[in-house]
Amino acid sequence: MRNRVQRLALPLSATMTAVVVAGCGTGGSDGGADGDPLTMGITDKVTAVDPAAGYDVGSWIVFNNVFQSLLSFPKGATKPEPEAAQSCKFTDEASKTFDCTLRGGLKFSNGEALTSEDVKFSFERTIKINDENGPAVLLDSIKTIDTPS
């Protein structure tokens, strides 16, 4: 019986490898350059479409694809990098003051300029709403938000 299993192992292994590799193809060469919309499917439940009211995986998948953040984690990274921010860093040794500078030329979808006051509003709105399912609890350590320029 052992010889029979060994004889079947190689063809079965080769067939499984071929099936897996065939699934890795792109299916086309234009890379979606034809302008067709991208449809994203998820199995996680989306509980909110307002960033102040949702802090679950499903909702954050939507947020990350719709809204811009000051910082974001590139694929596979463990350290955030600036997205809407030009730079962000702690400015004191106790790591209590975090300073971000926005990139220039950022605009809302309606064409209006995005300012540091808008970013401040977003943080303060989340804190004020304080939704029990939202991320406000993560912002409890914020004492003040200054927007000098």
Side-chain angles (χ1 to χ4, degrees), residues 31-55:
D34 58 6
D36 289 339
L38 172 68
T39 301
M40 183 178 75
I42 60 173
T43 58
D44 294 289
K45 184 178 180 183
V46 176
T47 62
V49 292
D50 181 344
Y55 192 64

Side-chain angles (χ1 to χ4, degrees), residues 59-123:
S59 298
W60 273 92
I61 288 172
V62 174
F63 301 158
N64 286 336
N65 283 281
V66 174
F67 303 112
Q68 190 171 32
S69 298
L70 285 172
L71 301 170
S72 65
F73 287 90
K75 187 175 183 174
T78 57
K79 186 176 179 183
E81 293 183 6
E83 187 177 328
Q86 177 178 316
S87 64
C88 288
K89 64 182 182 246
F90 284 103
T91 58
D92 62 330
E93 289 185 27
S95 297
K96 290 187 175 184
T97 303
F98 197 66
D99 182 68
C100 287
T101 301
L102 285 177
R103 283 190 296 123
L106 295 175
K107 296 182 182 204
F108 287 101
S109 58
N110 67 359
E112 291 181 21
L114 175 75
T115 68
S116 59
E117 285 291 326
D118 298 315
V119 175
K120 177 181 179 180
F121 174 83
S122 293
F123 279 102

